[in-house]
Amino acid sequence: MKIGIDIGGSHIGLGLIDDDMKIILKKEHNWTKEEKINFFESVEKYCKKLVAELIKDSNDKIERIGIGYPSGNIINGVIYKKGKELNLPKILSTEFNIPTYLKNDVKCSALCEKSIGNLKEYDNCLFMTLGTGIGGAYFYKNELVVPNKYQGFEIGHMVIEKDGRLCKCGQNGCFEQYASMKVFRNKIEELFNIETVTSNKIFEIIKTKEKEKEVNQIIEEYTDYVSVGLISLINIFEPDAICIGGSFSYYAPIFMDKISQRIQKRFPNKDIPDLLIAKYENDAGIIGASMLESN
């Protein structure tokens, strides 16, 4: 048995994974506003708490613990943020006496999809998540491309709108300021004057006829921005396939045909990459983390 941990901007999810790479048991916790403010402390607290619960509920020995964390600022398993550092592998391996490894969360999801998911048959392929932010991972000749210093493959901070919206990274006009699912959800919530709700609830709202014209306008604008970013990535990497994960996977029936049509229009005389949705959807991060054998 292995434990996979997927740490996100909105929640933390853990899974007990068997030798067939199936999630036997899952634990989740949504971050409160206070926990987001003291993020390192919250992450350490809930990793310890939920790992202990999974170990207690498991009848088998835990071989290793893998962690996916949403940051490019990871060096040798240590997370760096605003002058602080957090060595989660050391903390958990000391606490539970189990080998523990950590990588960028998108890389973990990508490893899952490349090993056992929808990217398994492709040598040169791009994996990206559309969720709270936008992250990426690229495989060239079946090898994961890893930057020299930090683990981020920060396609979300590719500028697509000069002098556009201010991003948390300090730039203006970043891809994730226009094409993250957070941006899309915020627009729907604002239109219907509702508080933050689940992806399933957002999907139900979109499929109703209420405010149909306004909803369609938001969908069209969003798919335009996603397509702009994907076209740039296709020009740069020339992948055989692009696989999209994160909460975007819940809305695939709404977006994918529109995005494919926009991309094909941009490349009228050229085969475009296969556009895929992550087979394991939001569980890819948990499963992929459990595959880690090094930081």
Side-chain angles (χ1 to χ4, degrees):
M1 288 289 185
K2 299 165 282 291
I3 291 176
I5 305 175
D6 185 17
I7 300 168
S10 60
H11 87 297
I12 179 172
L14 291 81
L16 188 64
I17 316 295
D18 67 11
D19 291 339
D20 294 322
M21 305 313 297
K22 293 181 180 178
I23 298 178
I24 303 303
L25 182 64
K26 187 190 288 187
K27 303 277 186 179
E28 294 183 291
H29 172 76
N30 293 323
W31 303 123
T32 65
K33 291 182 179 179
E34 293 74 17
E35 288 168 345
K36 289 180 181 179
I37 293 172
N38 301 301
F39 198 59
F40 274 6
E41 292 84 354
S42 303
V43 166
E44 180 177 346
K45 173 185 174 181
Y46 277 93
C47 278
K48 288 180 177 178
K49 178 180 183 295
L50 298 177
V51 166
E53 291 178 8
L54 284 178
I55 292 173
K56 182 179 178 181
D57 293 337
S58 174
N59 295 321
D60 298 304
K61 180 181 178 181
I62 305 300
E63 300 171 20
R64 61 178 179 267
I65 300 171
I67 310 164
Y69 186 85
S71 169
N73 297 332
I74 300 171
I75 304 176
N76 297 324
V78 181
I79 308 162
Y80 297 90
K81 184 178 181 181
K82 296 181 179 179
K84 295 183 178 181
E85 60 182 68
L86 178 66
N87 192 333
L88 268 180
K90 182 177 180 181
I91 290 169
L92 295 187
S93 61
T94 300
E95 180 85 6
F96 299 107
N97 194 29
I98 298 172
T100 305
Y101 310 102
L102 179 144
K103 278 192 184 297
N104 171 266
D105 59 341
V106 181
K107 308 303 176 296
C108 293
S109 297
L111 288 171
C112 172
E113 288 298 321
K114 187 69 176 71
S115 299
I116 59 175
N118 284 336
L119 289 176
K120 187 175 181 180
E121 304 301 323
Y122 297 91
D123 294 340
N124 306 311
C125 50
L126 179 69
F127 179 85
M128 62 184 290
T129 54
L130 298 179
T132 303
I134 295 179
Y138 182 59
F139 293 89
Y140 179 66
K141 294 183 178 179
N142 273 325
E143 293 292 330
L144 178 65
V145 176
V146 180
N148 287 332
K149 187 175 182 182
Y150 299 115
Q151 286 195 18
F153 199 76
E154 302 292 355
I155 61 174
H157 298 295
M158 170 180 64
V159 173
I160 65 169
E161 189 77 48
K162 181 180 178 294
D163 299 325
R165 300 168 190 162
L166 179 64
C167 182
K168 63 184 179 181
C169 75
Q171 296 189 119
N172 291 86
C174 287
F175 187 25
E176 76 174 28
Q177 290 301 312
Y178 297 87
S180 69
M181 286 309 304
K182 179 181 179 180
V183 170
F184 176 77
R185 288 166 58 98
N186 285 347
K187 286 183 177 292
I188 296 295
E189 289 166 3
E190 182 180 346
L191 176 63
F192 287 91
N193 192 27
I194 54 177
E195 296 293 329
T196 300
V197 293
T198 64
S199 295
N200 288 337
K201 183 62 177 177
I202 291 283
F203 188 83
E204 290 174 10
I205 291 171
I206 292 170
K207 298 300 287 184
T208 68
K209 295 295 182 180
E210 186 180 357
K211 299 185 180 180
E212 184 176 15
K213 182 178 178 181
E214 295 94 330
V215 169
N216 285 341
Q217 186 175 344
I218 292 172
I219 290 172
E220 291 298 316
E221 180 183 62
Y222 178 75
T223 50
D224 275 344
Y225 279 122
V226 173
S227 301
V228 167
L230 287 176
I231 288 166
S232 293
L233 294 169
I234 291 169
N235 279 323
I236 294 167
F237 296 105
E238 297 183 347
D240 299 320
I242 298 174
C243 184
I244 305 176
S247 56
F248 178 91
S249 57
Y250 293 118
Y251 306 91
I254 297 172
F255 297 127
M256 288 301 284
D257 284 345
K258 294 177 181 293
I259 291 170
S260 180
Q261 289 167 12
R262 284 164 170 76
I263 293 174
Q264 188 65 73
K265 186 176 180 181
R266 175 60 181 80
F267 301 104
N269 301 314
K270 181 179 178 180
D271 291 335
I272 66 171
D274 293 337
L275 299 178
L276 313 167
I277 293 297
K279 178 179 179 179
Y280 292 92
E281 299 180 337
N282 263 353
D283 285 340
I286 293 175
I287 298 171
S290 76
M291 297 177 175
L292 297 180
E293 296 183 348
S294 64
N295 289 315

